[in-house]
Amino acid sequence: MRYGTKDVLTGVSFAARSGEVLVLLGPNGAGKTTIVEILEGFRMRSSGEVAVLGTDPAKADEAWRARVGVVLQSWRDHGKWRVRELLGHLGGYYRRYPSPGKQRPWPVDDLLEVVGLTAAADTRLTKLSGGQRRRLDVAIGIVGRPELLFLDEPTVGFDPEARREFHDLVHRLTDVDDTTILLTTHDLDEAEKLADRILILAGGRIIADGSADELSRRVAGASEIRWTLNGQRFVHSAENPTPYVRELLTQHGDAIADLEVRRNNLEDTYMRLVHDFEGGRQ
Ligand code: ADP
């Protein structure tokens, strides 16, 4: 992807597997939104090949659009609609595009159940709480029962409880409906909880691709061992902590106290990979 003379995506190549949650991570300006919008068919790429559900999104038609879900930021209008009414109305647009094997659109009561809005079915949109509102945004994005769902920073501004509920919802969608999900986030804890696979993007390139565990193994000193000996605290980084700990205990036995082994989490891994990439460019 190029704007004028500036390349903002270079050699980006990946494939999503059916039914997986693929998470795109990267600093601001890395190119996440550009990728997502190209895949959604909202932005034209400058060159290269793209297939989404087997079709080039730049040439896609309504029938393709019916198979893809996009969760946008909250709808501000339509305040006088009630939840069930709006979902029934929007679902109606998908009736022309029946899906083999699944009932499309979602039957409204089932959809309300999946997103946790059964009790709010007859509530006007203006009366919904922030969390309910966001669940409605998701319901709107999936009412056509998409095979592939795009979620762009879906939990920005959520409190911890709303975030947890949203994560449960994502798991339900993949479990109940086998939906493939492409999600962007800045929340590394969220990425670690949800992702089957993570792509880290920096400067318009993919710098890492794998599960959280696979990525953590790529970073040197993947685990940190801490212990106390004779009143003094020690820290040591190791690729493989088990032999180190065994040796420590063999040598010092009962004199070792407060032993901890901590595997790098995704945040440690991410910071190292992005930092190394940026260092390498200078
Ligand atoms: P991210 O979503 O990872 O923050 P973006 O995809 O929004 O990144 O942006 C990637 C790069 O493309 C940035 O350097 C941004 O300034 C540039 N960019 C995005 N949209 C345009 C545009 N319409 N014209 C020129 N440059 C753009």
Side-chain angles (χ1 to χ4, degrees), residues 140-204:
I140 291 169
I142 66 171
V143 63
R145 213 157 186 175
E147 290 153 63
L148 172 63
L149 179 64
F150 292 100
L151 295 169
D152 200 1
E153 299 190 27
T155 57
V156 170
F158 279 29
D159 64 34
E161 194 186 338
R163 186 176 310 251
R164 241 244 314 277
E165 281 178 15
F166 186 84
H167 294 166
D168 290 344
L169 171 55
V170 168
H171 284 133
R172 228 164 338 170
L173 281 180
T174 51
D175 292 351
V176 174
D177 225 28
D178 223 9
T179 315
T180 305
I181 295 179
L182 194 138
L183 180 146
T184 69
T185 186
H186 281 295
D187 180 339
L188 297 168
D189 181 56
E190 171 165 292
E192 191 155 28
K193 287 207 173 84
L194 293 179
D196 294 307
R197 214 170 110 218
I198 294 165
L199 298 178
I200 301 180
L201 212 70

Short mmCIF file of all heavy atoms in Angstrom, two decimals, residues 140-204:
data_model
loop_
_atom_site.label_atom_id
_atom_site.label_comp_id
_atom_site.label_asym_id
_atom_site.label_seq_id
_atom_site.Cartn_x
_atom_site.Cartn_y
_atom_site.Cartn_z
N ILE A 140 -25.14 -6.10 15.85
CA ILE A 140 -25.36 -5.53 14.51
C ILE A 140 -24.33 -6.08 13.53
O ILE A 140 -24.64 -6.43 12.40
CB ILE A 140 -25.31 -3.98 14.57
CG1 ILE A 140 -26.53 -3.45 15.34
CG2 ILE A 140 -25.27 -3.38 13.16
CD1 ILE A 140 -26.44 -1.97 15.70
N GLY A 141 -23.08 -6.21 14.01
CA GLY A 141 -22.01 -6.73 13.16
C GLY A 141 -22.19 -8.19 12.79
O GLY A 141 -21.71 -8.64 11.75
N ILE A 142 -22.88 -8.96 13.65
CA ILE A 142 -22.97 -10.41 13.38
C ILE A 142 -24.37 -10.87 13.01
O ILE A 142 -24.58 -12.07 12.81
CB ILE A 142 -22.47 -11.25 14.58
CG1 ILE A 142 -23.37 -11.09 15.81
CG2 ILE A 142 -21.02 -10.91 14.91
CD1 ILE A 142 -23.03 -12.06 16.94
N VAL A 143 -25.32 -9.94 12.89
CA VAL A 143 -26.71 -10.36 12.67
C VAL A 143 -26.85 -11.22 11.40
O VAL A 143 -27.68 -12.13 11.34
CB VAL A 143 -27.68 -9.15 12.67
CG1 VAL A 143 -27.38 -8.19 11.54
CG2 VAL A 143 -29.13 -9.59 12.60
N GLY A 144 -26.00 -10.95 10.42
CA GLY A 144 -26.03 -11.75 9.18
C GLY A 144 -25.27 -13.06 9.32
O GLY A 144 -25.07 -13.77 8.34
N ARG A 145 -24.84 -13.38 10.52
CA ARG A 145 -24.13 -14.61 10.82
C ARG A 145 -22.90 -14.79 9.94
O ARG A 145 -22.81 -15.74 9.14
CB ARG A 145 -25.07 -15.78 10.61
CG ARG A 145 -24.76 -16.87 11.58
CD ARG A 145 -25.94 -17.73 11.79
NE ARG A 145 -25.64 -18.66 12.84
CZ ARG A 145 -26.51 -19.51 13.34
NH1 ARG A 145 -27.72 -19.54 12.87
NH2 ARG A 145 -26.15 -20.31 14.29
N PRO A 146 -21.96 -13.85 10.05
CA PRO A 146 -20.81 -13.85 9.15
C PRO A 146 -19.89 -15.04 9.38
O PRO A 146 -19.78 -15.54 10.50
CB PRO A 146 -20.08 -12.55 9.51
CG PRO A 146 -20.46 -12.29 10.92
CD PRO A 146 -21.88 -12.78 11.06
N GLU A 147 -19.24 -15.46 8.30
CA GLU A 147 -18.22 -16.49 8.42
C GLU A 147 -16.93 -15.88 8.95
O GLU A 147 -16.10 -16.55 9.56
CB GLU A 147 -17.97 -17.13 7.06
CG GLU A 147 -19.14 -17.98 6.59
CD GLU A 147 -19.23 -18.07 5.08
OE1 GLU A 147 -18.29 -18.62 4.48
OE2 GLU A 147 -20.23 -17.58 4.52
N LEU A 148 -16.77 -14.58 8.65
CA LEU A 148 -15.57 -13.85 9.05
C LEU A 148 -16.00 -12.53 9.68
O LEU A 148 -16.84 -11.82 9.13
CB LEU A 148 -14.73 -13.57 7.80
CG LEU A 148 -13.52 -12.67 7.95
CD1 LEU A 148 -12.49 -13.27 8.89
CD2 LEU A 148 -12.90 -12.41 6.58
N LEU A 149 -15.42 -12.23 10.85
CA LEU A 149 -15.80 -11.02 11.57
C LEU A 149 -14.57 -10.15 11.83
O LEU A 149 -13.54 -10.63 12.30
CB LEU A 149 -16.45 -11.42 12.90
CG LEU A 149 -16.90 -10.29 13.82
CD1 LEU A 149 -18.01 -9.47 13.18
CD2 LEU A 149 -17.38 -10.86 15.16
N PHE A 150 -14.68 -8.86 11.53
CA PHE A 150 -13.62 -7.90 11.80
C PHE A 150 -13.96 -7.08 13.05
O PHE A 150 -15.04 -6.50 13.12
CB PHE A 150 -13.45 -6.92 10.63
CG PHE A 150 -12.93 -7.57 9.39
CD1 PHE A 150 -13.79 -7.92 8.35
CD2 PHE A 150 -11.57 -7.83 9.24
CE1 PHE A 150 -13.30 -8.51 7.20
CE2 PHE A 150 -11.07 -8.42 8.09
CZ PHE A 150 -11.95 -8.76 7.06
N LEU A 151 -13.04 -7.05 14.00
CA LEU A 151 -13.24 -6.27 15.22
C LEU A 151 -12.05 -5.32 15.36
O LEU A 151 -10.93 -5.77 15.61
CB LEU A 151 -13.31 -7.18 16.45
CG LEU A 151 -14.48 -8.15 16.53
CD1 LEU A 151 -14.26 -9.17 17.65
CD2 LEU A 151 -15.78 -7.40 16.76
N ASP A 152 -12.28 -4.02 15.19
CA ASP A 152 -11.20 -3.05 15.24
C ASP A 152 -11.22 -2.37 16.61
O ASP A 152 -12.12 -1.60 16.90
CB ASP A 152 -11.38 -2.02 14.11
CG ASP A 152 -10.08 -1.28 13.80
OD1 ASP A 152 -9.05 -1.56 14.43
OD2 ASP A 152 -10.12 -0.40 12.92
N GLU A 153 -10.24 -2.68 17.45
CA GLU A 153 -10.16 -2.15 18.82
C GLU A 153 -11.51 -2.18 19.53
O GLU A 153 -12.04 -1.13 19.91
CB GLU A 153 -9.58 -0.73 18.80
CG GLU A 153 -8.18 -0.70 18.22
CD GLU A 153 -7.50 0.66 18.43
OE1 GLU A 153 -7.85 1.35 19.39
OE2 GLU A 153 -6.63 1.00 17.62
N PRO A 154 -12.04 -3.38 19.71
CA PRO A 154 -13.43 -3.47 20.17
C PRO A 154 -13.66 -3.08 21.62
O PRO A 154 -14.77 -2.77 21.98
CB PRO A 154 -13.77 -4.96 19.97
CG PRO A 154 -12.46 -5.66 20.06
CD PRO A 154 -11.45 -4.72 19.48
N THR A 155 -12.63 -3.06 22.47
CA THR A 155 -12.89 -2.84 23.89
C THR A 155 -12.33 -1.52 24.42
O THR A 155 -12.23 -1.33 25.62
CB THR A 155 -12.30 -4.00 24.74
OG1 THR A 155 -10.90 -4.10 24.48
CG2 THR A 155 -12.98 -5.31 24.42
N VAL A 156 -12.02 -0.60 23.48
CA VAL A 156 -11.54 0.73 23.91
C VAL A 156 -12.59 1.37 24.81
O VAL A 156 -13.76 1.41 24.47
CB VAL A 156 -11.27 1.62 22.69
CG1 VAL A 156 -11.02 3.06 23.11
CG2 VAL A 156 -10.09 1.10 21.90
N GLY A 157 -12.18 1.84 25.96
CA GLY A 157 -13.10 2.53 26.86
C GLY A 157 -13.94 1.61 27.75
O GLY A 157 -14.79 2.09 28.48
N PHE A 158 -13.69 0.31 27.69
CA PHE A 158 -14.45 -0.62 28.54
C PHE A 158 -13.88 -0.63 29.96
O PHE A 158 -12.67 -0.56 30.13
CB PHE A 158 -14.33 -2.05 28.00
CG PHE A 158 -15.26 -2.36 26.87
CD1 PHE A 158 -15.69 -1.37 26.02
CD2 PHE A 158 -15.70 -3.66 26.67
CE1 PHE A 158 -16.54 -1.67 24.97
CE2 PHE A 158 -16.54 -3.96 25.63
CZ PHE A 158 -16.96 -2.98 24.77
N ASP A 159 -14.75 -0.82 30.94
CA ASP A 159 -14.23 -1.10 32.27
C ASP A 159 -13.88 -2.60 32.32
O ASP A 159 -14.25 -3.36 31.43
CB ASP A 159 -15.21 -0.65 33.36
CG ASP A 159 -16.52 -1.40 33.32
OD1 ASP A 159 -16.53 -2.61 32.98
OD2 ASP A 159 -17.56 -0.80 33.64
N PRO A 160 -13.14 -3.03 33.36
CA PRO A 160 -12.66 -4.41 33.38
C PRO A 160 -13.76 -5.46 33.26
O PRO A 160 -13.59 -6.49 32.62
CB PRO A 160 -11.95 -4.52 34.73
CG PRO A 160 -11.53 -3.14 35.05
CD PRO A 160 -12.59 -2.24 34.48
N GLU A 161 -14.93 -5.17 33.85
CA GLU A 161 -16.00 -6.16 33.80
C GLU A 161 -16.58 -6.27 32.39
O GLU A 161 -16.81 -7.37 31.89
CB GLU A 161 -17.09 -5.76 34.79
CG GLU A 161 -18.07 -6.89 35.04
CD GLU A 161 -19.23 -6.43 35.91
OE1 GLU A 161 -19.08 -5.41 36.64
OE2 GLU A 161 -20.29 -7.07 35.84
N ALA A 162 -16.80 -5.12 31.76
CA ALA A 162 -17.32 -5.12 30.39
C ALA A 162 -16.34 -5.82 29.46
O ALA A 162 -16.72 -6.56 28.54
CB ALA A 162 -17.57 -3.69 29.92
N ARG A 163 -15.05 -5.62 29.71
CA ARG A 163 -14.01 -6.26 28.90
C ARG A 163 -14.08 -7.79 29.05
O ARG A 163 -14.03 -8.52 28.08
CB ARG A 163 -12.65 -5.74 29.37
CG ARG A 163 -11.47 -6.18 28.56
CD ARG A 163 -10.23 -5.51 29.09
NE ARG A 163 -10.47 -4.07 29.21
CZ ARG A 163 -9.92 -3.17 28.41
NH1 ARG A 163 -9.06 -3.53 27.52
NH2 ARG A 163 -10.22 -1.90 28.55
N ARG A 164 -14.23 -8.24 30.29
CA ARG A 164 -14.32 -9.68 30.53
C ARG A 164 -15.53 -10.28 29.82
O ARG A 164 -15.46 -11.33 29.18
CB ARG A 164 -14.40 -9.97 32.03
CG ARG A 164 -13.26 -10.81 32.54
CD ARG A 164 -13.67 -12.18 33.08
NE ARG A 164 -14.80 -12.16 33.98
CZ ARG A 164 -14.73 -11.87 35.26
NH1 ARG A 164 -13.59 -11.57 35.81
NH2 ARG A 164 -15.83 -11.90 36.00
N GLU A 165 -16.67 -9.57 29.92
CA GLU A 165 -17.88 -10.05 29.25
C GLU A 165 -17.68 -10.11 27.74
O GLU A 165 -18.13 -11.04 27.08
CB GLU A 165 -19.06 -9.11 29.53
CG GLU A 165 -19.69 -9.32 30.88
CD GLU A 165 -20.82 -8.32 31.13
OE1 GLU A 165 -21.29 -7.68 30.16
OE2 GLU A 165 -21.21 -8.19 32.30
N PHE A 166 -16.99 -9.12 27.22
CA PHE A 166 -16.76 -9.09 25.78
C PHE A 166 -15.87 -10.27 25.36
O PHE A 166 -16.10 -10.89 24.33
CB PHE A 166 -16.13 -7.76 25.37
CG PHE A 166 -16.00 -7.63 23.88
CD1 PHE A 166 -17.06 -7.20 23.11
CD2 PHE A 166 -14.82 -7.98 23.24
CE1 PHE A 166 -16.95 -7.12 21.74
CE2 PHE A 166 -14.70 -7.90 21.87
CZ PHE A 166 -15.77 -7.47 21.12
N HIS A 167 -14.87 -10.57 26.17
CA HIS A 167 -13.99 -11.71 25.85
C HIS A 167 -14.77 -13.02 25.85
O HIS A 167 -14.57 -13.89 25.00
CB HIS A 167 -12.82 -11.77 26.83
CG HIS A 167 -11.90 -10.60 26.69
ND1 HIS A 167 -10.96 -10.28 27.62
CD2 HIS A 167 -11.80 -9.65 25.72
CE1 HIS A 167 -10.30 -9.20 27.23
NE2 HIS A 167 -10.81 -8.80 26.09
N ASP A 168 -15.69 -13.15 26.81
CA ASP A 168 -16.55 -14.35 26.83
C ASP A 168 -17.36 -14.43 25.55
O ASP A 168 -17.55 -15.51 24.99
CB ASP A 168 -17.51 -14.31 28.03
CG ASP A 168 -16.76 -14.53 29.34
OD1 ASP A 168 -15.60 -14.98 29.29
OD2 ASP A 168 -17.33 -14.22 30.40
N LEU A 169 -17.85 -13.27 25.10
CA LEU A 169 -18.66 -13.23 23.88
C LEU A 169 -17.84 -13.69 22.67
O LEU A 169 -18.33 -14.47 21.84
CB LEU A 169 -19.22 -11.82 23.68
CG LEU A 169 -19.92 -11.50 22.36
CD1 LEU A 169 -21.05 -12.49 22.10
CD2 LEU A 169 -20.47 -10.08 22.38
N VAL A 170 -16.61 -13.24 22.58
CA VAL A 170 -15.76 -13.65 21.46
C VAL A 170 -15.55 -15.17 21.49
O VAL A 170 -15.65 -15.85 20.47
CB VAL A 170 -14.40 -12.91 21.49
CG1 VAL A 170 -13.40 -13.53 20.52
CG2 VAL A 170 -14.61 -11.44 21.16
N HIS A 171 -15.30 -15.72 22.69
CA HIS A 171 -15.13 -17.17 22.79
C HIS A 171 -16.41 -17.90 22.38
O HIS A 171 -16.35 -18.92 21.70
CB HIS A 171 -14.74 -17.56 24.22
CG HIS A 171 -13.31 -17.25 24.52
ND1 HIS A 171 -12.90 -16.62 25.67
CD2 HIS A 171 -12.18 -17.48 23.80
CE1 HIS A 171 -11.58 -16.47 25.64
NE2 HIS A 171 -11.12 -16.98 24.51
N ARG A 172 -17.56 -17.35 22.77
CA ARG A 172 -18.82 -17.99 22.40
C ARG A 172 -19.00 -18.01 20.88
O ARG A 172 -19.45 -18.98 20.31
CB ARG A 172 -19.99 -17.27 23.07
CG ARG A 172 -20.95 -18.24 23.75
CD ARG A 172 -21.86 -17.54 24.71
NE ARG A 172 -21.22 -16.29 25.09
CZ ARG A 172 -21.76 -15.29 25.78
NH1 ARG A 172 -22.92 -15.35 26.16
NH2 ARG A 172 -21.13 -14.18 26.07
N LEU A 173 -18.65 -16.90 20.25
CA LEU A 173 -18.81 -16.81 18.78
C LEU A 173 -17.96 -17.87 18.07
O LEU A 173 -18.40 -18.46 17.09
CB LEU A 173 -18.40 -15.44 18.26
CG LEU A 173 -19.42 -14.34 18.44
CD1 LEU A 173 -18.88 -13.05 17.88
CD2 LEU A 173 -20.72 -14.71 17.74
N THR A 174 -16.75 -18.09 18.57
CA THR A 174 -15.91 -19.08 17.90
C THR A 174 -16.39 -20.48 18.25
O THR A 174 -16.37 -21.37 17.41
CB THR A 174 -14.42 -18.90 18.25
OG1 THR A 174 -14.29 -18.82 19.66
CG2 THR A 174 -13.86 -17.64 17.65
N ASP A 175 -16.85 -20.68 19.49
CA ASP A 175 -17.31 -22.01 19.90
C ASP A 175 -18.64 -22.38 19.25
O ASP A 175 -18.80 -23.44 18.67
CB ASP A 175 -17.50 -22.09 21.42
CG ASP A 175 -16.17 -22.00 22.15
OD1 ASP A 175 -15.13 -22.06 21.46
OD2 ASP A 175 -16.17 -21.85 23.38
N VAL A 176 -19.62 -21.46 19.38
CA VAL A 176 -20.99 -21.76 18.95
C VAL A 176 -21.10 -21.73 17.43
O VAL A 176 -21.80 -22.53 16.83
CB VAL A 176 -21.98 -20.72 19.53
CG1 VAL A 176 -23.39 -20.90 18.99
CG2 VAL A 176 -21.99 -20.77 21.04
N ASP A 177 -20.40 -20.79 16.81
CA ASP A 177 -20.69 -20.54 15.40
C ASP A 177 -19.47 -20.69 14.50
O ASP A 177 -19.57 -20.47 13.30
CB ASP A 177 -21.29 -19.13 15.25
CG ASP A 177 -22.49 -19.13 14.33
OD1 ASP A 177 -23.15 -20.19 14.27
OD2 ASP A 177 -22.75 -18.12 13.67
N ASP A 178 -18.31 -21.04 15.10
CA ASP A 178 -17.13 -21.30 14.28
C ASP A 178 -16.71 -20.08 13.44
O ASP A 178 -16.15 -20.22 12.36
CB ASP A 178 -17.43 -22.48 13.34
CG ASP A 178 -16.25 -23.42 13.29
OD1 ASP A 178 -15.33 -23.24 14.10
OD2 ASP A 178 -16.26 -24.33 12.43
N THR A 179 -17.03 -18.90 13.97
CA THR A 179 -16.71 -17.67 13.25
C THR A 179 -15.20 -17.43 13.25
O THR A 179 -14.55 -17.58 14.28
CB THR A 179 -17.40 -16.47 13.95
OG1 THR A 179 -18.74 -16.83 14.25
CG2 THR A 179 -17.39 -15.23 13.08
N THR A 180 -14.65 -17.07 12.11
CA THR A 180 -13.25 -16.66 12.04
C THR A 180 -13.20 -15.17 12.39
O THR A 180 -14.03 -14.40 11.92
CB THR A 180 -12.71 -16.86 10.61
OG1 THR A 180 -12.93 -18.22 10.24
CG2 THR A 180 -11.23 -16.53 10.52
N ILE A 181 -12.26 -14.79 13.24
CA ILE A 181 -12.24 -13.40 13.72
C ILE A 181 -10.87 -12.77 13.50
O ILE A 181 -9.84 -13.38 13.80
CB ILE A 181 -12.62 -13.36 15.21
CG1 ILE A 181 -14.06 -13.83 15.39
CG2 ILE A 181 -12.42 -11.95 15.79
CD1 ILE A 181 -14.56 -13.87 16.81
N LEU A 182 -10.87 -11.57 12.95
CA LEU A 182 -9.66 -10.78 12.84
C LEU A 182 -9.84 -9.54 13.71
O LEU A 182 -10.78 -8.79 13.53
CB LEU A 182 -9.36 -10.39 11.40
CG LEU A 182 -7.95 -9.85 11.22
CD1 LEU A 182 -7.33 -10.41 9.96
CD2 LEU A 182 -7.92 -8.35 11.17
N LEU A 183 -8.97 -9.40 14.68
CA LEU A 183 -9.14 -8.39 15.71
C LEU A 183 -7.89 -7.53 15.84
O LEU A 183 -6.78 -8.05 15.78
CB LEU A 183 -9.43 -9.15 17.00
CG LEU A 183 -9.68 -8.46 18.31
CD1 LEU A 183 -10.71 -9.27 19.09
CD2 LEU A 183 -8.44 -8.35 19.14
N THR A 184 -8.07 -6.22 15.96
CA THR A 184 -6.92 -5.37 16.27
C THR A 184 -7.11 -4.85 17.69
O THR A 184 -8.23 -4.63 18.14
CB THR A 184 -6.80 -4.14 15.34
OG1 THR A 184 -7.88 -3.25 15.62
CG2 THR A 184 -6.81 -4.53 13.89
N THR A 185 -6.01 -4.69 18.40
CA THR A 185 -6.10 -4.16 19.76
C THR A 185 -4.76 -3.57 20.17
O THR A 185 -3.73 -3.90 19.58
CB THR A 185 -6.52 -5.27 20.76
OG1 THR A 185 -6.72 -4.69 22.04
CG2 THR A 185 -5.49 -6.37 20.86
N HIS A 186 -4.80 -2.71 21.19
CA HIS A 186 -3.56 -2.25 21.82
C HIS A 186 -3.40 -2.91 23.18
O HIS A 186 -2.44 -2.66 23.88
CB HIS A 186 -3.60 -0.73 22.02
CG HIS A 186 -3.28 0.02 20.77
ND1 HIS A 186 -2.05 -0.05 20.18
CD2 HIS A 186 -4.03 0.80 19.98
CE1 HIS A 186 -2.06 0.69 19.09
NE2 HIS A 186 -3.26 1.21 18.94
N ASP A 187 -4.38 -3.73 23.53
CA ASP A 187 -4.40 -4.33 24.85
C ASP A 187 -3.75 -5.71 24.75
O ASP A 187 -4.32 -6.66 24.23
CB ASP A 187 -5.86 -4.42 25.30
CG ASP A 187 -6.01 -5.04 26.67
OD1 ASP A 187 -5.08 -5.76 27.12
OD2 ASP A 187 -7.06 -4.83 27.28
N LEU A 188 -2.51 -5.81 25.26
CA LEU A 188 -1.73 -7.04 25.06
C LEU A 188 -2.28 -8.18 25.90
O LEU A 188 -2.18 -9.35 25.53
CB LEU A 188 -0.27 -6.77 25.39
CG LEU A 188 0.36 -5.73 24.44
CD1 LEU A 188 1.71 -5.28 24.95
CD2 LEU A 188 0.47 -6.28 23.03
N ASP A 189 -2.89 -7.84 27.01
CA ASP A 189 -3.51 -8.86 27.84
C ASP A 189 -4.72 -9.45 27.11
O ASP A 189 -4.94 -10.67 27.10
CB ASP A 189 -3.92 -8.18 29.16
CG ASP A 189 -4.56 -9.16 30.11
OD1 ASP A 189 -3.90 -10.18 30.39
OD2 ASP A 189 -5.69 -8.91 30.55
N GLU A 190 -5.46 -8.58 26.44
CA GLU A 190 -6.60 -9.02 25.64
C GLU A 190 -6.13 -9.94 24.50
O GLU A 190 -6.70 -11.00 24.24
CB GLU A 190 -7.30 -7.79 25.07
CG GLU A 190 -8.38 -8.07 24.05
CD GLU A 190 -9.22 -6.81 23.84
OE1 GLU A 190 -9.95 -6.45 24.79
OE2 GLU A 190 -9.14 -6.20 22.76
N ALA A 191 -5.05 -9.53 23.84
CA ALA A 191 -4.52 -10.33 22.74
C ALA A 191 -4.11 -11.71 23.23
O ALA A 191 -4.40 -12.73 22.60
CB ALA A 191 -3.32 -9.62 22.11
N GLU A 192 -3.45 -11.74 24.39
CA GLU A 192 -2.99 -13.02 24.93
C GLU A 192 -4.18 -13.93 25.27
O GLU A 192 -4.12 -15.14 25.07
CB GLU A 192 -2.13 -12.76 26.17
CG GLU A 192 -1.39 -13.99 26.64
CD GLU A 192 -0.12 -13.62 27.43
OE1 GLU A 192 -0.09 -12.54 28.05
OE2 GLU A 192 0.83 -14.42 27.40
N LYS A 193 -5.26 -13.32 25.78
CA LYS A 193 -6.44 -14.13 26.17
C LYS A 193 -7.18 -14.67 24.95
O LYS A 193 -7.74 -15.76 24.99
CB LYS A 193 -7.40 -13.27 26.98
CG LYS A 193 -6.91 -12.98 28.37
CD LYS A 193 -8.08 -12.74 29.32
CE LYS A 193 -7.60 -12.61 30.75
NZ LYS A 193 -7.16 -11.23 31.05
N LEU A 194 -7.25 -13.87 23.88
CA LEU A 194 -8.16 -14.22 22.78
C LEU A 194 -7.48 -14.89 21.59
O LEU A 194 -8.11 -15.67 20.87
CB LEU A 194 -8.88 -12.96 22.27
CG LEU A 194 -9.86 -12.30 23.22
CD1 LEU A 194 -10.46 -11.06 22.57
CD2 LEU A 194 -10.96 -13.26 23.65
N ALA A 195 -6.20 -14.58 21.37
CA ALA A 195 -5.60 -14.94 20.08
C ALA A 195 -5.26 -16.42 19.97
O ALA A 195 -4.64 -16.98 20.87
CB ALA A 195 -4.34 -14.12 19.86
N ASP A 196 -5.65 -17.04 18.88
CA ASP A 196 -5.03 -18.31 18.50
C ASP A 196 -3.69 -18.00 17.86
O ASP A 196 -2.74 -18.76 17.98
CB ASP A 196 -5.90 -19.06 17.49
CG ASP A 196 -7.22 -19.51 18.10
OD1 ASP A 196 -7.16 -20.16 19.15
OD2 ASP A 196 -8.28 -19.16 17.55
N ARG A 197 -3.66 -16.88 17.17
CA ARG A 197 -2.45 -16.50 16.46
C ARG A 197 -2.32 -14.98 16.47
O ARG A 197 -3.32 -14.28 16.40
CB ARG A 197 -2.54 -16.98 15.03
CG ARG A 197 -1.21 -17.37 14.46
CD ARG A 197 -1.44 -18.07 13.15
NE ARG A 197 -1.00 -17.25 12.07
CZ ARG A 197 -1.60 -17.15 10.91
NH1 ARG A 197 -2.74 -17.77 10.69
NH2 ARG A 197 -1.10 -16.40 9.97
N ILE A 198 -1.07 -14.51 16.52
CA ILE A 198 -0.80 -13.08 16.60
C ILE A 198 0.11 -12.67 15.46
O ILE A 198 1.09 -13.36 15.17
CB ILE A 198 -0.12 -12.77 17.96
CG1 ILE A 198 -1.09 -13.04 19.11
CG2 ILE A 198 0.39 -11.33 18.00
CD1 ILE A 198 -0.43 -13.12 20.46
N LEU A 199 -0.24 -11.57 14.81
CA LEU A 199 0.68 -10.95 13.86
C LEU A 199 1.13 -9.63 14.47
O LEU A 199 0.29 -8.82 14.85
CB LEU A 199 -0.03 -10.62 12.53
CG LEU A 199 -0.61 -11.76 11.71
CD1 LEU A 199 -1.30 -11.18 10.47
CD2 LEU A 199 0.48 -12.72 11.29
N ILE A 200 2.43 -9.43 14.56
CA ILE A 200 2.92 -8.13 15.04
C ILE A 200 3.42 -7.35 13.83
O ILE A 200 4.22 -7.84 13.04
CB ILE A 200 4.04 -8.27 16.08
CG1 ILE A 200 3.52 -9.07 17.29
CG2 ILE A 200 4.51 -6.89 16.54
CD1 ILE A 200 4.56 -9.26 18.38
N LEU A 201 2.90 -6.14 13.72
CA LEU A 201 3.19 -5.28 12.59
C LEU A 201 4.00 -4.10 13.09
O LEU A 201 3.70 -3.54 14.14
CB LEU A 201 1.85 -4.78 12.07
CG LEU A 201 1.70 -4.50 10.60
CD1 LEU A 201 1.71 -5.81 9.85
CD2 LEU A 201 0.38 -3.78 10.36
N ALA A 202 5.04 -3.71 12.36
CA ALA A 202 5.78 -2.49 12.69
C ALA A 202 6.29 -1.91 11.39
O ALA A 202 6.78 -2.65 10.53
CB ALA A 202 6.93 -2.80 13.66
N GLY A 203 6.14 -0.61 11.23
CA GLY A 203 6.62 0.06 10.03
C GLY A 203 6.10 -0.55 8.75
O GLY A 203 6.78 -0.58 7.73
N GLY A 204 4.87 -1.04 8.78
CA GLY A 204 4.26 -1.58 7.56
C GLY A 204 4.72 -2.97 7.17
O GLY A 204 4.43 -3.44 6.06
#
